[in-house]
Amino acid sequence: MSVRDEIRDFLLSRRARLSPEQAGLPRHGERRVAGLRREEVAQLAGVSVEYYTRLERGNTRGYSDDVLAAVARALHLDDAEREHLFDLVHAANTRARPARETGALRPEVQHLLDAMTAAPAYVGNTRLDVLAANPLGRALFAPLFDSPHQPVNQARFLFRDPAARELFPEWAEMTHDAVAVLRTATGRHPDDQNLSGLVSELLTASDTFRSLWQLYDVRHRRSGVKLFDHPVAGRLTVRFEAMTLLSHPGLRLHAGTADPGTPSAAALQFLANWATAPAVTPTEMDQR
């Protein structure tokens, strides 16, 4: 889809979910459309109906940030949705340029990951690719790294590998979150061919992905809690925080911890010991 189509469908979806009562408007008679009418959004934003209609149709020339902010307020957009609208309009008004890849990770980043022995950690990008991890991170996400669906990508694993449902008890919530993160990335990087290729792959491979994609939900991923049903460590809950890598634009380091003194902390420590235990060769097994 073009950026203009994305703007149209995003604004339509946000308008359809907002009732007149939620927007502080009176409801008069029967309504033929779900949510607000165009003229109601225009009224709330303080612009003409023609002006708003032109924006909703993807004709974005001449729209200031102040007008976009007024539309965002009228539609009750949250922070992620507001940024997504700005990203789409700015992308529509800017000459497309190839997405800049950060190249190979600096060795120092892998050294930092490996030094984090008590916390599962990995580096990922806006496409949800996992580019590097420490031993505990690889152990915690072992089914992801062992998946036949490569290269390693969290969305690809969630929607294409049945092992994801076994690893993540909250699979449904995680799939919704993953799709929203990819939607956000398409607004910020509409010219990213790797991203569009991943979305096309998942639209073809997964009915669930197609249904969630049509919701047009967007979301930032800065922190969160993941529940695991790990094949080695059992049930555990891990809290993740994300930190931007200034040396690699677009990449973030994600590190996890478990609440001290909980069964999850004990399970994570067990997994850390298991991940760093030396491998036993067949000869050594015979000698034992």
Side-chain angles (χ1 to χ4, degrees):
M1 294 178 66
S2 69
V3 176
R4 292 182 61 163
D5 291 338
E6 291 284 348
I7 294 170
R8 177 198 65 206
D9 291 345
F10 178 67
L11 288 175
L12 281 172
S13 71
R14 300 308 90 173
R15 179 160 63 86
R17 72 175 184 179
L18 189 63
S19 69
E21 291 82 1
Q22 290 173 317
L25 296 174
R27 178 184 290 269
H28 298 297
E30 294 295 324
R31 302 179 66 88
R32 299 174 59 185
V33 297
L36 295 181
R37 300 186 177 103
R38 285 195 182 113
E39 56 266 30
E40 291 170 329
V41 178
Q43 175 189 340
L44 291 167
V47 299
S48 70
V49 178
E50 293 76 16
Y51 198 60
Y52 173 74
T53 300
R54 196 156 57 88
L55 174 63
E56 193 174 274
R57 289 175 176 169
N59 188 346
T60 59
R61 291 295 177 186
Y63 285 84
S64 68
D65 286 353
D66 287 342
V67 170
L68 296 180
V71 171
R73 288 193 298 270
L75 292 173
H76 292 198
L77 303 187
D78 63 24
D79 288 344
E81 292 168 334
R82 183 180 183 277
E83 288 185 29
H84 187 62
L85 174 61
F86 275 65
D87 286 339
L88 288 173
V89 172
H90 292 166
N93 293 335
T94 304
R95 187 175 181 179
R97 290 177 295 179
R100 191 178 81 166
E101 294 290 343
T102 58
L105 280 177
R106 295 165 57 240
E108 291 82 359
V109 176
Q110 186 63 60
H111 297 162
L112 174 63
L113 288 171
D114 293 339
M116 302 170 68
T117 57
Y122 64 92
V123 171
N125 59 21
T126 56
R127 294 190 298 268
L128 300 180
D129 295 326
V130 179
L131 306 176
N134 65 357
L136 181 51
R138 285 184 169 273
L140 183 62
F141 290 94
L144 166 65
F145 287 96
D146 294 340
S147 175
H149 301 286
Q150 297 292 320
V152 179
N153 177 278
Q154 295 180 69
R156 181 178 285 116
F157 176 65
L158 285 168
F159 289 102
R160 301 203 62 186
D161 195 329
R165 291 178 182 264
E166 300 176 7
L167 181 63
F168 299 121
E170 297 176 337
W171 178 85
E173 293 85 348
M174 292 189 67
T175 55
H176 193 165
D177 178 70
V179 173
V181 170
L182 291 181
R183 264 287 181 198
T184 305
T186 62
R188 187 155 297 174
H189 307 290
D191 51 345
D192 185 339
Q193 295 301 310
N194 290 323
L195 175 59
S196 60
L198 173 65
V199 170
S200 296
E201 172 192 335
L202 297 179
L203 285 171
T204 301
S206 171
D207 292 338
T208 302
F209 184 89
R210 281 196 298 276
S211 297
L212 292 173
W213 191 250
Q214 293 305 314
L215 296 178
Y216 291 91
D217 288 342
V218 293
R219 193 167 302 165
H220 294 312
R221 174 178 281 186
R222 297 189 176 106
S223 64
V225 179
K226 285 185 172 66
L227 179 64
F228 294 81
D229 238 341
H230 196 273
V232 173
R235 180 68 62 98
L236 68 160
T237 301
V238 182
R239 301 180 183 275
F240 281 90
E241 294 290 336
M243 294 149 276
T244 300
L245 289 176
L246 296 180
S247 61
H248 290 278
L251 300 189
R252 286 186 174 181
L253 188 153
H254 303 256
T257 59
D259 291 340
T262 63
S264 292
L268 199 58
Q269 182 59 56
F270 169 81
L271 193 60
N273 296 337
W274 177 79
T276 57
V280 179
T281 67
T283 301
E284 289 173 329
M285 287 293 293
D286 293 340
Q287 293 174 349
R288 293 181 182 182

